[in-house]
Amino acid sequence: MNTAIDYQYIDSHDHDQYEFAVARAQQLFLDGWRVSIGFSGKDSSAACVCIVEGLRRAKAIRGDVGPLHVVTTNTTLDNMVLHDYMLTLHDDLIEYGRQHDLPIECHELKPALSSLPVVEFVGRGKLLRTPETSSNGRDCALDWKIKPMKTFLKSLSKKYQTDKICSISGSRDDESNVRKGNLKKRGETAHTPVMTDLGWTLALIKEWSLSDVWHLFELIDNDDIESFSDNLRFMKKHYSASNGGACDLFAGKLAANKSCGSRFGCVLCAQVKEDNSLLNQISIDPEQYGFMRPLNDLRNYMVNTLYDFSKRSTLGRKLTKDGYIKVGLNQYSLEYRMDLLRYILTIQQDTYESGGNHTIDLIDYRELLAIQFAWSREGGEEAPGMALQIWHDIVNNGQRYPIPKTTLVEKSFTPTYTYFPLMKFVESNQPVGLDDEGIQAGGKFKEIERMFNRNGEKHRVIRYTESSSFNVVTKNAFAMTFVEDFYLELLEDGHLDNKCPTVMLKQLLESGVVTLAKGTIGRVHDDARRAQALNSLRATTGIPTAEAIMALSVSEKVMNAEISSRQTNQATQQSLF
């Protein structure tokens, strides 16, 4: 790739690194690459200035270059002020492209619904990511950022019918030793696209220093370099606030050693002891950033209670081949998740009612129904639709649940695991799963009967809809109507009275407001049967499900003896024939 500076552009400034980067970007477009750039903060913004100018110069040479796709991923837990600021720059990019006839498209990506942080934490009970609970370092970045970007890049390849899609990053060697090592490991350069797990990648400003980044913004402020936005001047304000008022250039190396490689990470990030960036912002400018303080309180609550084992579920999710499930300390308990839902909805409503410039919107109808689906599928609710009930208590009836004060609970012991004979209870209770008496022979809802095949055997279930991935339908206010109207009608008409909580799972599927990923109906049917067996424990024992499980669990020694005895009996019966 040609990296020579075109000196016709350099009379007005002294930023050679900028001109080298622009020349490489220009050649990238002239070589026929479709280009995408991740856009999230100061470094990627500096890279974006270079890539847009490269596009402009390439377009002056040949009219068919491009397009450029600018992508910001919204994990929903990013610093809300900075994320809104980046979307403002999106608007500026689109307008700049329109004015200069440049093919620039902007996109906001989100993780898959099932991978959204609140669905993971509140819905499925996945533990807060810390160095101790993350099996693969920052797997949160993989689920929340990298996977959505991979999906997007694949869509570009399909759209343009080419693999010549280059992803530009703002990663720099100078950020941290960890970042430098990762760039080296992937073989990324600032000069030539290389193939990585993400696809073709170019680290356009890899060799820049922190001074180079801020010097570019300074030249833009002084009108010495043209850029796509006049709003880039606010970048320094946001970063200065995160450093406690100090210019980021002088705070430099302190920030570079942070494990995120960025000052602005997830507001619930527990990979670091304190989110000093957010606390500094709130301290410096409480009017602009103060609305996020409750999120820091939520983070501290979740960190402090991570090893409060009374907040954990006892029942694991992996079934052994002999029908047992490990009992001990697993994901968050359902009760804890209900509290998290109460705290998050309280934060949202308080922020909304304060009438500020920003809102916190972690859980809307789509996320709420995904959470309810997870709870109904798992089992253990006191009544059908507990997530919907909590929503109405807070959003419509005005109840509030402040986050309690806590102190850090240290990890103190490793529990002894026991084993619960789940399949024995499933077989003895004969749960129907997603089957229903209303669709059985003579039932009045026979028309919603559906069948699926597994291992040559047909299984009857209620009506369901499939899609490419698990989803909640929001089109035409479908999800909102289910929550605000249909759920209340179910309550008023007594359709949820004295019913197994899995009835809500059937309502979500039969209505079509929740769609299943293709080929997963069998697994959901099995999970419904398991949930029904667990829910029956409360009815038959008269105590909460978790306590019943603990009481009925056995040691590993006893489990092995039971399995051995069962195998002996089976062998004896077979010998009789």
Side-chain angles (χ1 to χ4, degrees):
M1 179 182 290
N2 179 15
T3 60
I5 292 178
D6 188 341
Y7 283 94
Q8 67 172 306
Y9 294 102
I10 203 168
D11 292 342
S12 62
H13 67 82
D14 58 355
H15 203 313
D16 288 1
Q17 288 277 36
Y18 165 75
E19 287 298 334
F20 277 121
V22 171
R24 292 193 294 270
Q26 173 184 315
Q27 193 61 45
L28 198 67
F29 287 110
L30 292 175
D31 287 342
W33 289 89
R34 268 73 170 189
V35 178
S36 171
I37 181 169
F39 192 53
S40 60
K42 69 180 191 306
D43 293 328
S44 57
S45 293
C48 193
V49 170
C50 299
I51 203 75
V52 169
E53 179 61 15
L55 174 62
R56 189 177 72 86
R57 296 182 191 181
K59 187 79 160 48
I61 297 171
R62 202 177 73 224
D64 63 346
V65 297
L68 169 63
H69 293 270
V70 181
V71 179
T72 297
T73 301
N74 179 8
T75 69
T76 69
L77 289 181
D78 295 292
N79 183 294
M80 284 79 181
V81 174
L82 186 71
H83 184 74
D84 287 351
Y85 171 62
M86 300 310 295
L87 295 186
T88 296
L89 296 181
H90 276 218
D91 294 337
D92 294 343
L93 277 158
I94 292 171
E95 178 59 22
Y96 186 83
R98 187 190 66 78
Q99 291 178 359
H100 293 81
D101 192 27
L102 300 178
I104 298 175
E105 299 180 27
C106 293
H107 313 266
E108 183 184 20
L109 307 183
K110 275 190 176 184
L113 177 57
S114 59
S115 297
L116 282 175
V118 291
V119 176
E120 288 191 342
F121 296 146
V122 183
R124 302 205 310 273
K126 192 166 186 175
L127 300 181
L128 187 69
R129 266 66 166 230
T130 70
E132 292 77 24
T133 62
S134 296
S135 59
N136 186 27
R138 293 183 177 277
D139 56 352
C140 48
L142 175 64
D143 290 342
W144 301 344
K145 292 187 176 182
I146 297 175
K147 285 183 179 179
M149 180 60 83
K150 282 185 175 181
T151 301
F152 176 73
L153 292 173
K154 285 182 180 178
S155 73
L156 292 185
S157 182
K158 182 177 181 180
K159 176 180 180 179
Y160 297 117
Q161 292 295 295
T162 180
D163 292 330
K164 207 170 182 180
I165 308 292
C166 184
S167 178
I168 303 294
S169 79
S171 298
R172 298 180 294 108
D173 286 337
D174 190 53
E175 289 180 71
S176 69
N177 288 331
V178 172
R179 184 59 57 87
K180 182 177 181 179
N182 287 336
L183 286 167
K184 183 177 181 180
K185 187 187 304 180
R186 295 191 296 265
E188 291 188 52
T189 77
H191 307 281
T192 305
V194 298
M195 179 59 73
T196 68
D197 289 343
L198 196 62
W200 291 104
T201 305
L202 182 70
L204 189 65
I205 62 169
K206 177 178 180 288
E207 297 163 356
W208 286 29
S209 67
L210 185 64
S211 298
D212 291 329
V213 172
W214 287 117
H215 185 42
L216 174 61
F217 292 131
E218 181 183 17
L219 290 170
I220 292 171
D221 287 347
N222 294 336
D223 294 325
D224 294 326
I225 286 179
E226 180 178 340
S227 82
F228 58 83
S229 175
D230 292 334
N231 289 310
L232 287 169
R233 67 184 186 277
F234 296 116
M235 189 77 71
K236 184 180 292 185
K237 174 182 180 296
H238 292 305
Y239 278 84
S240 174
S242 75
N243 289 322
C247 173
D248 185 53
L249 181 58
F250 300 108
K253 288 300 179 182
L254 174 64
N257 290 326
K258 291 188 178 181
S259 57
C260 279
S262 169
R263 280 175 197 81
F264 300 105
C266 161
V267 293
L268 295 185
C269 180
Q271 300 284 357
V272 292
K273 289 186 177 180
E274 292 286 348
D275 187 355
N276 290 319
S277 304
L278 180 56
L279 292 174
N280 286 337
Q281 284 183 317
I282 294 170
S283 175
I284 291 295
D285 191 347
E287 184 175 350
Q288 181 167 19
Y289 303 106
F291 75 98
M292 291 187 286
R293 184 183 293 278
L295 294 173
N296 188 254
D297 294 340
L298 179 65
R299 173 199 178 274
N300 293 338
Y301 173 79
M302 294 179 72
V303 169
N304 288 344
T305 57
L306 182 60
Y307 291 109
D308 179 351
F309 294 146
S310 68
K311 311 293 188 186
R312 296 282 194 90
S313 172
T314 56
L315 193 63
R317 290 177 174 168
K318 291 184 178 179
L319 188 69
T320 71
K321 62 183 179 62
D322 297 299
Y324 289 80
I325 284 186
K326 187 182 285 189
V327 175
L329 296 175
N330 293 289
Q331 67 277 1
Y332 290 130
S333 69
L334 187 56
E335 291 74 17
Y336 184 77
R337 284 176 266 165
M338 289 181 181
D339 283 339
L340 289 181
L341 180 58
R342 292 182 180 104
Y343 302 150
I344 292 171
L345 292 179
T346 295
I347 291 170
Q348 288 186 179
Q349 285 303 108
D350 286 348
T351 306
Y352 174 74
E353 291 171 4
S354 69
N357 294 326
H358 298 275
T359 59
I360 294 173
D361 190 20
L362 303 184
I363 298 176
D364 205 340
Y365 298 112
R366 183 170 183 254
E367 294 78 16
L368 178 70
L369 290 180
I371 290 167
Q372 181 59 69
F373 180 85
W375 291 3
S376 301
R377 181 176 179 176
E378 180 181 326
E381 291 176 280
E382 294 180 17
M386 289 300 298
L388 304 183
Q389 178 182 314
I390 291 170
W391 170 278
H392 283 280
D393 287 345
I394 296 168
V395 175
N396 295 325
N397 299 330
Q399 293 191 29
R400 293 292 182 268
Y401 295 88
I403 299 170
K405 299 294 183 182
T406 54
T407 55
L408 181 66
V409 176
E410 300 284 355
K411 185 177 181 180
S412 57
F413 69 96
T414 301
T416 300
Y417 285 94
T418 56
Y419 297 84
F420 176 66
L422 174 65
M423 289 312 297
K424 183 167 73 175
F425 283 88
V426 170
E427 291 164 2
S428 63
N429 281 274
Q430 296 185 332
V432 298
L434 296 179
D435 197 353
D436 191 272
E437 62 181 15
I439 61 174
Q440 294 171 7
K444 62 179 180 178
F445 300 113
K446 187 68 175 174
E447 72 277 4
I448 66 170
E449 176 192 65
R450 297 292 183 271
M451 304 294 290
F452 74 91
N453 291 297
R454 182 167 55 187
N455 299 326
E457 184 178 345
K458 289 187 176 182
H459 298 267
R460 181 178 54 214
V461 294
I462 48 88
R463 178 172 56 198
Y464 63 95
T465 304
E466 291 185 321
S467 53
S468 59
S469 61
F470 170 74
N471 199 17
V472 171
V473 180
T474 56
K475 186 178 180 180
N476 298 325
F478 196 1
M480 181 184 74
T481 302
F482 188 97
V483 173
E484 301 294 357
D485 298 326
F486 186 60
Y487 167 67
L488 297 179
E489 291 173 7
L490 291 173
L491 285 175
E492 292 169 1
D493 295 342
H495 294 304
L496 304 181
D497 293 348
N498 303 314
K499 294 289 182 65
C500 173
T502 57
V503 69
M504 185 54 66
L505 186 66
K506 297 178 185 180
Q507 293 288 354
L508 291 167
L509 291 174
E510 193 279 321
S511 68
V513 71
V514 167
T515 64
L516 299 178
K518 291 180 179 178
T520 62
I521 182 63
R523 193 160 67 244
V524 177
H525 178 60
D526 290 343
D527 288 347
R529 296 182 72 240
R530 164 182 159 157
Q532 288 159 1
L534 293 176
N535 291 335
S536 70
L537 287 177
R538 180 187 292 270
T540 56
T541 63
I543 59 177
T545 303
E547 294 179 24
I549 289 169
M550 290 296 290
L552 295 169
S553 298
V554 298
S555 67
E556 185 174 10
K557 182 178 180 180
V558 172
M559 177 187 70
N560 290 333
E562 290 178 353
I563 294 171
S564 178
S565 175
R566 187 189 313 155
Q567 291 171 342
T568 299
N569 290 337
Q570 289 173 347
T572 301
Q573 290 174 358
Q574 289 173 356
S575 67
L576 294 176
F577 297 94

